[in-house]
Protein backbone atom coordinates (compact mmCIF):
# COMPACT_ATOMS: atom_id res chain seq x y z
CA UNK A 1 0.00 0.00 0.00
CA UNK A 2 1.27 3.46 -0.95
CA UNK A 3 0.13 7.11 -0.84
CA UNK A 4 1.08 9.39 -3.73
CA UNK A 5 -0.71 12.61 -2.72
CA UNK A 6 0.19 14.27 0.59
CA UNK A 7 0.69 17.88 1.74
CA UNK A 8 2.98 19.16 4.47
CA UNK A 9 3.19 22.48 6.29
CA UNK A 10 5.43 23.62 3.41
CA UNK A 11 2.13 24.24 1.60
CA UNK A 12 -1.32 24.03 3.16
CA UNK A 13 -0.95 20.94 5.31
CA UNK A 14 -0.27 21.16 9.04
CA UNK A 15 2.36 18.42 9.55
CA UNK A 16 6.12 18.51 8.97
CA UNK A 17 7.60 16.22 6.28
CA UNK A 18 9.29 14.23 9.05
CA UNK A 19 5.95 13.71 10.80
CA UNK A 20 4.40 12.55 7.49
CA UNK A 21 7.09 9.88 7.24
CA UNK A 22 6.23 8.72 10.78
CA UNK A 23 2.54 8.54 9.90
CA UNK A 24 3.35 6.54 6.75
CA UNK A 25 5.38 4.04 8.76
CA UNK A 26 2.58 3.77 11.34
CA UNK A 27 0.09 3.15 8.50
CA UNK A 28 2.45 0.41 7.16
CA UNK A 29 2.86 2.11 3.79
CA UNK A 30 5.71 0.94 1.56
CA UNK A 31 6.09 4.27 -0.28
CA UNK A 32 5.05 7.89 0.10
CA UNK A 33 5.11 10.90 -2.24
CA UNK A 34 5.21 14.42 -0.81
CA UNK A 35 3.24 16.65 -3.20
CA UNK A 36 3.07 20.17 -1.80
CA UNK A 37 1.46 22.89 -3.92
CA UNK A 38 3.88 24.62 -6.29
CA UNK A 39 7.03 24.07 -4.21
CA UNK A 40 9.69 21.50 -3.25
CA UNK A 41 10.98 23.19 -0.10
CA UNK A 42 9.92 20.28 2.12
CA UNK A 43 11.71 17.64 0.02
CA UNK A 44 15.12 17.76 1.73
CA UNK A 45 13.62 17.04 5.16
CA UNK A 46 11.27 14.45 3.62
CA UNK A 47 14.03 12.50 1.83
CA UNK A 48 16.29 12.54 4.91
CA UNK A 49 13.54 11.35 7.26
CA UNK A 50 12.43 8.63 4.82
CA UNK A 51 15.98 7.36 4.33
CA UNK A 52 16.42 7.07 8.12
CA UNK A 53 13.52 4.63 8.38
CA UNK A 54 13.90 2.93 4.99
CA UNK A 55 10.66 4.26 3.49
CA UNK A 56 10.55 4.67 -0.29
CA UNK A 57 10.12 8.40 -0.92
CA UNK A 58 9.06 10.09 -4.14
CA UNK A 59 9.56 13.82 -4.62
CA UNK A 60 6.45 15.35 -6.11
CA UNK A 61 4.62 18.64 -6.58
CA UNK A 62 0.93 19.42 -7.07
CA UNK A 63 0.88 22.03 -9.82
CA UNK A 64 -2.00 24.45 -10.44
CA UNK A 65 -2.12 24.57 -14.25
CA UNK A 66 -4.68 25.72 -16.81
CA UNK A 67 -6.37 23.62 -19.45
CA UNK A 68 -7.59 25.90 -22.25
CA UNK A 69 -8.64 22.82 -24.28
CA UNK A 70 -11.60 22.30 -21.94
CA UNK A 71 -12.88 25.76 -20.97
CA UNK A 72 -15.50 26.16 -18.28
CA UNK A 73 -19.13 26.66 -19.34
CA UNK A 74 -18.86 30.35 -18.37
CA UNK A 75 -15.91 30.73 -20.75
CA UNK A 76 -13.31 31.19 -18.03
CA UNK A 77 -10.13 29.13 -18.14
CA UNK A 78 -10.22 25.79 -16.43
CA UNK A 79 -7.82 25.40 -13.52
CA UNK A 80 -6.48 21.86 -13.15
CA UNK A 81 -4.29 20.33 -10.46
CA UNK A 82 -1.60 18.11 -11.93
CA UNK A 83 0.69 15.90 -9.85
CA UNK A 84 4.34 15.78 -10.94
CA UNK A 85 6.47 12.82 -9.77
CA UNK A 86 10.26 12.32 -9.70
CA UNK A 87 10.78 16.07 -9.90
CA UNK A 88 14.23 17.62 -9.99
CA UNK A 89 15.35 19.87 -7.14
CA UNK A 90 17.88 21.62 -9.43
CA UNK A 91 16.96 25.31 -9.20
CA UNK A 92 18.24 25.98 -12.74
CA UNK A 93 16.14 23.25 -14.37
CA UNK A 94 13.24 24.21 -16.68
CA UNK A 95 10.90 22.58 -14.14
CA UNK A 96 12.06 24.69 -11.18
CA UNK A 97 12.13 27.85 -13.30
CA UNK A 98 8.48 27.37 -14.21
CA UNK A 99 7.48 26.52 -10.65
CA UNK A 100 9.29 29.63 -9.40
CA UNK A 101 7.32 31.70 -11.89
CA UNK A 102 4.12 30.09 -10.62
CA UNK A 103 4.96 30.99 -7.03
CA UNK A 104 5.39 34.64 -8.01
CA UNK A 105 1.97 34.55 -9.65
CA UNK A 106 0.50 32.80 -6.60
CA UNK A 107 1.79 35.56 -4.35
CA UNK A 108 0.36 38.28 -6.61
CA UNK A 109 -2.97 36.43 -6.62
CA UNK A 110 -2.94 36.15 -2.81
CA UNK A 111 -2.25 39.89 -2.43
CA UNK A 112 -5.06 40.78 -4.83
CA UNK A 113 -7.51 38.42 -3.07
CA UNK A 114 -6.69 39.98 0.30
CA UNK A 115 -7.05 43.52 -1.07
CA UNK A 116 -10.51 42.64 -2.41
CA UNK A 117 -11.51 41.14 0.96
CA UNK A 118 -10.35 44.26 2.81
CA UNK A 119 -12.49 46.35 0.44
CA UNK A 120 -15.42 44.05 1.26
CA UNK A 121 -15.12 44.79 4.99
CA UNK A 122 -12.47 42.35 6.25
CA UNK A 123 -10.56 45.35 7.54
CA UNK A 124 -8.37 43.51 10.06
CA UNK A 125 -7.02 41.25 7.31
CA UNK A 126 -3.73 42.00 5.56
CA UNK A 127 -0.96 40.04 3.88
CA UNK A 128 1.33 39.95 6.94
CA UNK A 129 -1.50 38.65 9.15
CA UNK A 130 -1.96 35.72 6.76
CA UNK A 131 1.79 35.03 6.60
CA UNK A 132 2.24 35.15 10.37
CA UNK A 133 -0.58 32.64 10.89
CA UNK A 134 0.85 30.11 8.44
CA UNK A 135 3.21 27.46 9.74
CA UNK A 136 5.60 28.37 6.91
CA UNK A 137 5.46 31.03 4.19
CA UNK A 138 6.58 28.69 1.36
CA UNK A 139 3.37 28.30 -0.58
CA UNK A 140 0.52 30.32 0.86
CA UNK A 141 -2.88 29.70 -0.59
CA UNK A 142 -6.57 30.21 -0.13
CA UNK A 143 -6.76 27.77 2.79
CA UNK A 144 -4.41 30.07 4.74
CA UNK A 145 -6.51 33.10 3.82
CA UNK A 146 -9.64 31.26 4.96
CA UNK A 147 -7.96 30.48 8.30
CA UNK A 148 -7.06 34.14 8.82
CA UNK A 149 -10.60 35.24 7.89
CA UNK A 150 -12.10 32.99 10.58
CA UNK A 151 -9.59 34.09 13.21
CA UNK A 152 -9.76 37.82 12.50
CA UNK A 153 -13.41 38.18 11.46
CA UNK A 154 -15.55 35.56 13.20
CA UNK A 155 -18.37 38.13 13.23
CA UNK A 156 -18.42 37.97 9.41
CA UNK A 157 -17.66 34.32 8.63
CA UNK A 158 -17.96 32.44 11.93
CA UNK A 159 -15.18 30.85 13.99
CA UNK A 160 -12.78 28.15 12.78
CA UNK A 161 -14.86 25.10 11.81
CA UNK A 162 -14.97 22.88 8.73
CA UNK A 163 -18.46 24.16 7.86
CA UNK A 164 -17.43 27.82 8.06
CA UNK A 165 -14.32 27.11 5.98
CA UNK A 166 -16.46 25.54 3.24
CA UNK A 167 -18.87 28.48 3.35
CA UNK A 168 -15.92 30.87 2.90
CA UNK A 169 -14.96 29.00 -0.28
CA UNK A 170 -18.54 28.95 -1.56
CA UNK A 171 -19.20 32.64 -0.87
CA UNK A 172 -15.79 34.30 -1.15
CA UNK A 173 -12.68 32.40 -2.30
CA UNK A 174 -13.90 29.56 -4.53
CA UNK A 175 -14.18 29.83 -8.32
CA UNK A 176 -17.77 31.07 -7.90
CA UNK A 177 -16.89 33.32 -4.96
CA UNK A 178 -17.20 37.10 -4.77
CA UNK A 179 -13.48 37.90 -4.63
CA UNK A 180 -12.14 35.04 -6.79
CA UNK A 181 -8.98 35.96 -8.69
CA UNK A 182 -7.82 33.81 -11.60
CA UNK A 183 -4.17 32.85 -11.68
CA UNK A 184 -1.99 33.24 -14.77
CA UNK A 185 -0.75 29.64 -14.56
CA UNK A 186 0.98 27.91 -17.47
CA UNK A 187 -1.15 25.47 -19.42
CA UNK A 188 -0.68 21.73 -19.01
CA UNK A 189 0.78 21.55 -22.53
CA UNK A 190 3.25 24.38 -21.94
CA UNK A 191 4.44 22.72 -18.78
CA UNK A 192 4.87 19.18 -20.12
CA UNK A 193 6.57 20.44 -23.28
CA UNK A 194 9.07 22.54 -21.33
CA UNK A 195 10.07 19.55 -19.19
CA UNK A 196 9.93 16.79 -21.82
CA UNK A 197 12.71 14.22 -21.43
CA UNK A 198 13.43 15.16 -17.81
CA UNK A 199 12.04 11.93 -16.32
CA UNK A 200 9.16 13.72 -14.60
CA UNK A 201 5.85 11.82 -14.80
CA UNK A 202 2.56 13.73 -14.71
CA UNK A 203 -0.84 12.61 -13.43
CA UNK A 204 -4.04 14.68 -13.35
CA UNK A 205 -5.13 15.05 -9.72
CA UNK A 206 -8.76 14.39 -8.63
CA UNK A 207 -10.14 14.63 -12.22
CA UNK A 208 -13.76 14.69 -11.02
CA UNK A 209 -13.07 17.99 -9.21
CA UNK A 210 -11.12 19.58 -12.08
CA UNK A 211 -13.13 18.67 -15.13
CA UNK A 212 -16.75 18.29 -14.12
CA UNK A 213 -19.17 21.15 -13.84
CA UNK A 214 -21.81 19.13 -12.01
CA UNK A 215 -21.24 16.17 -9.72
CA UNK A 216 -23.56 13.54 -11.07
CA UNK A 217 -22.13 10.06 -10.58
CA UNK A 218 -24.13 8.78 -13.54
CA UNK A 219 -22.14 10.89 -16.01
CA UNK A 220 -18.65 10.41 -14.55
CA UNK A 221 -17.27 8.35 -17.46
CA UNK A 222 -18.93 10.31 -20.25
CA UNK A 223 -17.81 13.65 -18.76
CA UNK A 224 -14.20 12.54 -18.41
CA UNK A 225 -13.76 10.43 -21.57
CA UNK A 226 -12.97 13.38 -23.90
CA UNK A 227 -10.35 14.67 -21.45
CA UNK A 228 -8.72 11.28 -20.86
CA UNK A 229 -8.52 10.73 -24.61
CA UNK A 230 -6.23 13.78 -24.99
CA UNK A 231 -3.84 13.27 -22.06
CA UNK A 232 -1.29 10.82 -23.47
CA UNK A 233 -0.54 13.00 -26.50
CA UNK A 234 -0.14 15.96 -24.14
CA UNK A 235 2.56 14.32 -22.06
CA UNK A 236 0.40 13.22 -19.13
CA UNK A 237 0.75 9.54 -18.18
CA UNK A 238 -1.63 9.13 -15.25
CA UNK A 239 -4.96 10.05 -13.70
CA UNK A 240 -5.58 10.08 -9.97
CA UNK A 241 -8.25 7.40 -9.77
CA UNK A 242 -7.66 5.94 -6.33
CA UNK A 243 -8.62 9.26 -4.71
CA UNK A 244 -9.08 9.09 -0.97
CA UNK A 245 -12.19 11.25 -0.83
CA UNK A 246 -14.14 9.25 -3.43
CA UNK A 247 -16.29 6.25 -2.52
CA UNK A 248 -14.89 2.82 -3.38
CA UNK A 249 -17.40 2.20 -6.23
CA UNK A 250 -16.52 5.54 -7.86
CA UNK A 251 -12.80 4.85 -7.44
CA UNK A 252 -13.28 1.51 -9.18
CA UNK A 253 -15.08 3.19 -12.09
CA UNK A 254 -12.36 5.81 -12.45
CA UNK A 255 -9.63 3.16 -12.42
CA UNK A 256 -11.41 1.36 -15.27
CA UNK A 257 -11.92 4.54 -17.29
CA UNK A 258 -8.25 5.42 -16.78
CA UNK A 259 -7.05 1.96 -17.86
CA UNK A 260 -9.38 2.05 -20.89
CA UNK A 261 -7.67 5.29 -21.94
CA UNK A 262 -4.25 3.62 -21.68
CA UNK A 263 -3.21 5.68 -18.65
CA UNK A 264 -1.90 4.77 -15.18
CA UNK A 265 -4.41 5.07 -12.33
CA UNK A 266 -2.45 6.83 -9.58
CA UNK A 267 -3.79 7.48 -6.12
CA UNK A 268 -3.50 9.07 -2.75
CA UNK A 269 -5.26 10.52 0.26
CA UNK A 270 -4.68 14.27 -0.34
CA UNK A 271 -3.81 14.40 3.37
CA UNK A 272 -3.58 17.96 4.78
CA UNK A 273 -3.40 17.18 8.51
CA UNK A 274 -5.80 19.27 10.59
CA UNK A 275 -6.69 21.40 7.54
CA UNK A 276 -8.84 18.53 6.15
CA UNK A 277 -10.61 16.91 9.03
CA UNK A 278 -11.26 13.16 8.77
CA UNK A 279 -8.66 12.27 6.14
CA UNK A 280 -6.17 9.60 7.20
CA UNK A 281 -2.79 9.35 5.52
CA UNK A 282 -2.79 6.31 3.22
CA UNK A 283 -6.42 5.41 3.98
CA UNK A 284 -8.34 8.47 2.84
CA UNK A 285 -11.64 9.83 4.07
CA UNK A 286 -13.65 6.62 4.34
CA UNK A 287 -10.65 4.65 5.63
CA UNK A 288 -10.84 2.02 2.89
CA UNK A 289 -8.42 3.53 0.36
CA UNK A 290 -5.80 1.04 -0.87
CA UNK A 291 -3.36 2.23 -3.53
CA UNK A 292 -1.48 -0.85 -4.78
CA UNK A 293 2.35 -0.91 -4.76
CA UNK A 294 2.37 -1.82 -8.47
CA UNK A 295 1.19 1.68 -9.39
CA UNK A 296 4.55 3.07 -8.31
CA UNK A 297 6.36 0.45 -10.42
CA UNK A 298 4.31 1.56 -13.43
CA UNK A 299 5.17 5.22 -12.81
CA UNK A 300 8.88 4.36 -12.59
CA UNK A 301 8.61 2.44 -15.85
CA UNK A 302 6.96 5.49 -17.46
CA UNK A 303 9.90 7.81 -16.70
P1 LIG B 1 -4.81 27.67 -3.93
O1 LIG B 1 -3.69 26.68 -4.10
O2 LIG B 1 -4.44 28.84 -3.13
O3 LIG B 1 -5.47 28.02 -5.22
O4 LIG B 1 -5.92 26.90 -3.06
C1 LIG B 1 -6.33 25.66 -3.51
C2 LIG B 1 -6.87 24.90 -2.32
O5 LIG B 1 -8.02 25.58 -1.83
C3 LIG B 1 -7.33 23.53 -2.71
O6 LIG B 1 -6.30 22.58 -2.59
C4 LIG B 1 -8.43 23.28 -1.71
O7 LIG B 1 -7.87 22.85 -0.49
C5 LIG B 1 -9.02 24.64 -1.47
N1 LIG B 1 -10.20 24.90 -2.31
C6 LIG B 1 -10.24 25.47 -3.53
N2 LIG B 1 -11.49 25.59 -4.00
C7 LIG B 1 -12.29 25.11 -3.01
C8 LIG B 1 -13.70 24.96 -2.86
N3 LIG B 1 -14.56 25.36 -3.82
N4 LIG B 1 -14.17 24.42 -1.72
C9 LIG B 1 -13.30 24.02 -0.75
N5 LIG B 1 -11.97 24.12 -0.82
C10 LIG B 1 -11.46 24.65 -1.94
ZN1 LIG C 1 -3.71 21.53 -0.65
FE1 LIG D 1 -5.67 19.50 -5.46
FE1 LIG E 1 -3.74 18.16 -2.94
Amino acid sequence: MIDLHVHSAYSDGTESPRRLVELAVAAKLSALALTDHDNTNGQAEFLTAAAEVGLRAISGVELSLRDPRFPRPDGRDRSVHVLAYFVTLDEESPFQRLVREMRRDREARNRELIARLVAEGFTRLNYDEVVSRAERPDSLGRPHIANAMMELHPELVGDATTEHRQRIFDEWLGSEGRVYVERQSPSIDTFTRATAGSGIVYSVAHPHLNYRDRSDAATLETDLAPVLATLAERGVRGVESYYGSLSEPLRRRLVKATRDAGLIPTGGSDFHGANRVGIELGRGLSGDLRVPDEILDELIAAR
Side-chain angles (χ1 to χ4, degrees):
M1 224 180 111
I2 60 179
D3 191 334
L4 300 177
H5 189 164
V6 167
H7 297 274
S8 78
Y10 282 83
S11 65
D12 54 351
T14 55
E15 306 303 317
S16 68
R18 180 170 286 279
R19 176 74 187 137
L20 294 174
V21 168
E22 288 169 13
L23 290 171
V25 170
K28 300 200 163 39
L29 300 189
S30 59
L32 182 69
L34 175 63
T35 56
D36 277 317
H37 295 279
D38 301 343
N39 88 83
T40 52
N41 297 339
Q43 297 296 337
E45 177 184 334
F46 174 59
L47 296 176
T48 304
E52 281 170 22
V53 296
L55 178 75
R56 282 175 92 183
I58 301 99
S59 291
V61 175
E62 184 173 15
L63 304 162
S64 302
L65 301 177
R66 285 179 309 108
D67 191 353
R69 297 235 336 228
F70 295 93
R72 293 156 39 116
D74 62 7
R76 282 192 288 175
D77 270 354
R78 187 173 294 278
S79 167
V80 177
H81 287 180
V82 176
L83 295 157
Y85 294 115
F86 318 114
V87 304
T88 171
L89 305 183
D90 174 2
E91 286 297 326
E92 296 316 314
S93 59
F95 177 83
Q96 289 287 356
R97 282 174 194 277
L98 274 169
V99 175
R100 210 153 48 230
E101 193 65 36
M102 290 166 67
R103 278 200 299 276
R104 274 198 283 275
D105 170 62
R106 169 183 282 278
E107 181 180 334
R109 188 282 314 259
N110 288 344
R111 288 187 184 276
E112 173 63 21
L113 258 181
I114 290 166
R116 291 186 187 188
L117 286 166
V118 171
E120 294 276 352
F122 292 85
T123 51
R124 289 192 284 282
L125 195 67
N126 60 60
Y127 194 76
D128 293 337
E129 285 287 351
V130 176
V131 172
S132 68
R133 281 175 164 70
E135 210 110 9
R136 300 193 52 97
D138 301 82
S139 182
L140 292 185
R142 286 175 285 169
H144 300 98
I145 296 175
N147 286 346
M149 288 166 75
M150 293 184 285
E151 283 185 31
L152 293 167
H153 284 284
E155 81 286 4
L156 295 179
V157 293
D159 53 0
T161 67
T162 304
E163 291 69 35
H164 293 154
R165 168 193 293 277
Q166 188 54 52
R167 205 180 309 149
I168 286 174
F169 273 97
D170 294 343
E171 289 181 11
W172 297 100
L173 305 179
S175 57
E176 310 298 325
R178 286 165 65 177
V179 298
Y180 181 66
V181 180
E182 264 182 68
R183 287 177 58 181
Q184 306 300 307
S185 322
S187 71
I188 294 178
D189 303 72
T190 302
F191 208 101
T192 54
R193 226 175 293 125
T195 59
S198 64
I200 299 172
V201 181
Y202 296 96
S203 177
V204 169
H206 41 64
H208 58 297
L209 299 178
N210 292 323
Y211 283 106
R212 304 183 73 219
D213 305 305
R214 53 178 186 277
S215 55
D216 181 357
T219 62
L220 182 74
E221 288 86 351
T222 44
D223 286 354
L224 290 178
V227 178
L228 302 195
T230 68
L231 291 179
E233 73 194 44
R234 303 164 73 191
V236 177
R237 305 298 302 274
V239 172
E240 190 173 50
S241 309
Y242 296 95
Y243 187 62
S245 300
L246 275 176
S247 69
E248 166 62 21
L250 284 179
R251 290 201 293 264
R252 214 167 323 125
R253 285 168 56 186
L254 256 186
V255 168
K256 177 164 190 322
T258 299
R259 288 289 186 204
D260 288 349
L263 299 160
I264 304 167
T266 68
S269 63
D270 210 354
F271 182 79
H272 282 74
N275 278 342
R276 294 251 178 112
V277 175
I279 294 182
E280 228 183 305
L281 189 131
R283 295 185 154 75
L285 188 59
S286 48
D288 62 358
L289 179 69
R290 301 283 180 277
V291 184
D293 289 15
E294 296 76 55
I295 298 301
L296 176 55
D297 302 331
E298 289 185 51
L299 287 176
I300 290 170
R303 292 190 71 175

